[in-house]
Amino acid sequence: GAGVSQSPSNKVTEKGKDVELRCDPISGHTALYWYRQSLGQGLEFLIYFQGNSAPDKSGLPSDRFSAERTGGSVSTLTIQRTQQEDSAVYLCASSFHSGGRTDTQYFGPGTRLTVL
Amino acid sequence: GNSVTQMEGPVTLSEEAFLTINCTYTATGYPSLFWYVQYPGEGLQLLLKATKADDKGSNKGFEATYRKETTSFHLEKGSVQVSDSAVYFCARVNTDKLIFGTGTRLQVFP
C-alpha cells in the first residue's frame, strides 16, 4: 500500500515568513510523529499524535512551532516567523498503535526547508 | 538518561568486507531497538528491529543482536556491497518516540 507522504518536498522561504508542512500517514495508522533532521542536531523528535490529540509536544523547540491533526489522518506542522536555524529536513512518521513498545514507525521522504 | 551512542563515521570499506557499526544505549528497562538506513537522496527506512533481550533482528544480510548485558545493538554484515553505501541510524523507543544516534555513514568501494 501507499507509504507516508509529505508535501512539499522542498520549501524555500524568507526569514520571518510562516510555512506549513503537510503529512499524510499510512491509512489505518493511529499514531503520527514529526521529527527534524539537521546537520547540527541530528534527528530530533518534535511532536506525537494519537488520533487528533497530541499527548507529547515536548520536542517543539519554541512557541513558533505548532501542529495539528484532523480526522485522525492528515497532519500539518506550522512554523511561524521562520528563522534561519529552522532550516532542516522535517520528517513525518506513522505507526499502527501508539505507545506500543514494539511498533515500527514508518517514515515519509521529508520536507527540506530552507530559510533564507 | 535515555540516549543512543553510535560509532563515528565515515566507515570506508571495500566490497565484500565485513561490517560492524557499534551502537550502545542507556535506558531503564528493555526498550525496543531499531536500525534505520538512509540511502542517498531517500528517506529513512527500517532495516531491522529487536523487541526483547537476546532477540536477533535481520534483513538484507544485516544482523543485530539485542545484548542487555552490554546494552548494545551492534549492526553487522558479513559481506558488504557498493549498494549498501548509506547512513545508518541506531534508535531506541522512549515511551512514544524514537531516540536516534547521530548516524554512521558507510562508504563501500568496488
Side-chain angles (χ1 to χ4, degrees):
Chain A
V4 178
S5 61
Q6 293 185 246
S7 61
S9 56
N10 278 287
K11 176 71 177 178
V12 179
T13 190
E14 293 180 347
K15 178 181 173 180
K17 302 283 190 183
D18 297 351
V19 295
E20 285 189 352
L21 312 180
R22 177 188 168 106
C23 171
D24 281 273
I26 293 172
S27 177
H29 280 192
T30 61
L32 186 147
Y33 312 79
W34 283 98
Y35 294 85
R36 179 167 72 172
Q37 185 175 23
S38 58
L39 280 178
Q41 302 297 324
L43 272 159
E44 306 171 278
F45 166 80
L46 297 177
I47 186 170
Y48 147 66
F49 286 91
Q50 166 56 27
N52 293 334
S53 64
D56 189 347
K57 307 178 183 180
S58 62
L60 294 178
S62 76
D63 58 8
R64 295 187 296 105
F65 287 72
S66 62
E68 65 175 11
R69 188 180 185 196
T70 55
S73 181
V74 172
S75 176
T76 302
L77 177 69
T78 301
I79 309 173
Q80 296 179 308
R81 306 181 301 282
T82 52
Q83 303 295 312
Q84 289 182 332
E85 61 263 29
D86 300 335
S87 296
V89 177
Y90 289 81
L91 296 170
C92 177
S94 69
S95 66
F96 190 61
H97 290 299
S98 65
R101 63 181 300 276
T102 63
D103 284 346
T104 296
Q105 294 183 24
Y106 296 90
F107 283 79
T111 294
R112 181 175 297 278
L113 174 66
T114 303
V115 182
L116 300 178
Chain B
N2 298 307
S3 66
V4 176
T5 303
Q6 282 183 244
M7 62 189 291
E8 293 273 341
V11 174
T12 304
L13 296 172
S14 297
E15 208 164 24
E16 299 184 3
F18 184 86
L19 168 71
T20 300
I21 300 178
N22 290 339
C23 171
T24 58
Y25 66 91
T26 59
T28 53
Y30 303 106
S32 294
L33 302 172
F34 303 81
W35 277 100
Y36 281 84
V37 58
Q38 189 171 35
Y39 296 102
E42 298 185 16
L44 278 172
Q45 301 176 25
L46 177 70
L47 181 59
L48 54 83
K49 73 177 187 181
T51 59
K52 60 184 187 295
D54 300 324
D55 261 4
K56 177 184 283 188
S58 61
N59 185 25
K60 300 182 181 180
F62 290 88
E63 293 183 340
T65 301
Y66 192 140
R67 304 278 189 204
K68 65 178 180 180
E69 303 85 3
T70 54
T71 61
S72 65
F73 193 54
H74 304 325
L75 183 68
E76 296 181 336
K77 186 174 185 182
S79 176
V80 293
Q81 305 300 312
V82 172
S83 57
D84 293 327
S85 298
V87 181
Y88 293 80
F89 293 91
C90 185
R92 54 148 292 179
V93 167
N94 179 23
T95 311
D96 46 60
K97 54 188 168 280
L98 288 172
I99 306 296
F100 288 91
T102 53
T104 303
R105 181 175 300 278
L106 170 65
Q107 298 173 322
V108 181
F109 294 95

